[in-house]
Amino acid sequence: MSHLRMGSPCQDRLACAVLANGGLVAVVSDGAGSAPEGGGRRISSPCRPSSTGSGSLSRGRPVRSCSLPSRDAALHARDAVLARAVAEGEEAASYAATLLALVDTPDGGAALQIGDGVIVVGEEGEEWRWMFWPERGEYANTTRFLTDDDAADRVRVARLPGRPTDVAIMTDGLQSLALHYASESVHEPFFQGMFQPLHGSSGSGEVPALSASLEGFLSSERVRTRTDDDVSLILATRRSPAPPD
């Protein structure tokens, strides 16, 4: 979006993987606009966690296990970023970025977040809900970053409510479409429209055709008129496809 007009690299990154037990690990990060090393690339990834763990998601392989997100995990990631900055001879602020992560397993799940963006979960027949309301910084149009000195105090961690059937994680470029700010609630029509094709798909792991379709939507005029920021989105479902009529 904005990086295309300015000729700069996209500053979003995401990754997701299926666990061997059929769980899901998903992470997105948005580099600060002022951070020269905060860049990544936009990837849209609708995916269906495998009930057997045989499938894999974009750029990921099934892994045996994963600890639930915790403040320690976020601080471990922060230490890795700071070490990279030192190795490259850069200031920590050059790698400033938000972090949103979720792990969902048959034994339970949890999410963590620092900064803006949003994690939304849903259960069949229930209302969609956000895990953390997007965090703003001290000044307008700012947020918190993993590299902040007080990051340890700013990381928010929570267990998932039950075991959701649907999960969405996105960077802040899509917040205006996905959230209703006045009521601090989820804009359900957005998620119903996003998940409908995924609910009708079969198989496990990434669904390449839906990824391509979603990427086209995120790059469309309809979205670009609503946001000038980079956009990244992970959609995952455990629902079984509806039987044909």
Side-chain angles (χ1 to χ4, degrees):
M1 302 304 179
S2 60
H3 72 281
L4 294 176
R5 291 195 298 271
M6 299 175 62
S8 58
C10 176
Q11 294 193 319
D12 285 4
R13 278 194 181 274
L14 64 76
C16 50
V18 172
L19 301 173
N21 62 3
L24 175 74
V25 181
V27 182
V28 300
S29 179
D30 179 10
S34 58
E37 303 299 333
R41 63 177 180 137
R42 176 165 50 82
I43 306 171
S44 50
S45 180
C47 45
R48 180 180 292 280
S50 167
S51 60
T52 63
S54 61
S56 62
L57 304 182
S58 62
R59 301 188 298 124
R61 297 180 178 178
V63 292
R64 290 186 176 278
S65 62
C66 182
S67 299
L68 293 183
S70 67
R71 186 167 284 99
D72 287 344
L75 297 183
H76 178 77
R78 181 178 185 274
D79 288 343
V81 171
L82 296 182
R84 174 68 177 271
V86 170
E88 297 292 335
E90 299 283 353
E91 297 292 332
S94 296
Y95 289 84
T98 63
L99 179 67
L100 297 84
L102 176 143
V103 174
D104 182 24
T105 78
D107 297 322
L112 69 80
Q113 180 168 337
I114 183 167
D116 52 20
V118 67
I119 300 170
V120 173
V121 298
E123 294 183 56
E124 194 166 2
E126 301 290 335
E127 292 185 351
W128 297 89
R129 66 181 76 180
W130 43 264
M131 291 297 300
F132 313 99
W133 191 253
E135 187 175 24
R136 298 297 184 184
E138 184 177 356
Y139 303 101
N141 298 320
T142 64
T143 190
R144 305 290 180 178
F145 297 111
L146 189 63
T147 52
D148 290 349
D149 291 339
D150 60 351
D153 299 322
R154 295 291 181 179
V155 174
R156 295 172 287 174
V157 182
R159 289 192 171 273
L160 298 183
R163 195 178 183 206
T165 54
D166 300 304
V167 171
I169 308 180
M170 68 192 70
T171 52
D172 68 311
L174 288 171
Q175 286 176 190
S176 62
L177 285 77
L179 299 176
H180 188 269
Y181 284 86
S183 61
E184 291 196 356
S185 62
V186 172
H187 183 55
E188 295 208 10
F190 174 82
F191 292 97
Q192 291 167 352
M194 289 290 96
F195 273 93
Q196 184 176 8
L198 188 56
H199 290 159
S201 68
S202 59
S204 60
E206 184 184 9
V207 185
L210 293 185
S211 287
S213 176
L214 180 57
E215 186 162 7
F217 170 73
L218 295 180
S219 303
S220 69
E221 188 69 19
R222 178 182 174 186
V223 173
R224 287 190 284 119
T225 57
R226 297 285 300 275
T227 180
D228 62 354
D229 202 351
D230 301 326
V231 292
S232 290
L233 174 63
I234 297 174
L235 302 175
T237 187
R238 293 192 298 108
R239 294 194 198 185
S240 300
D245 295 332

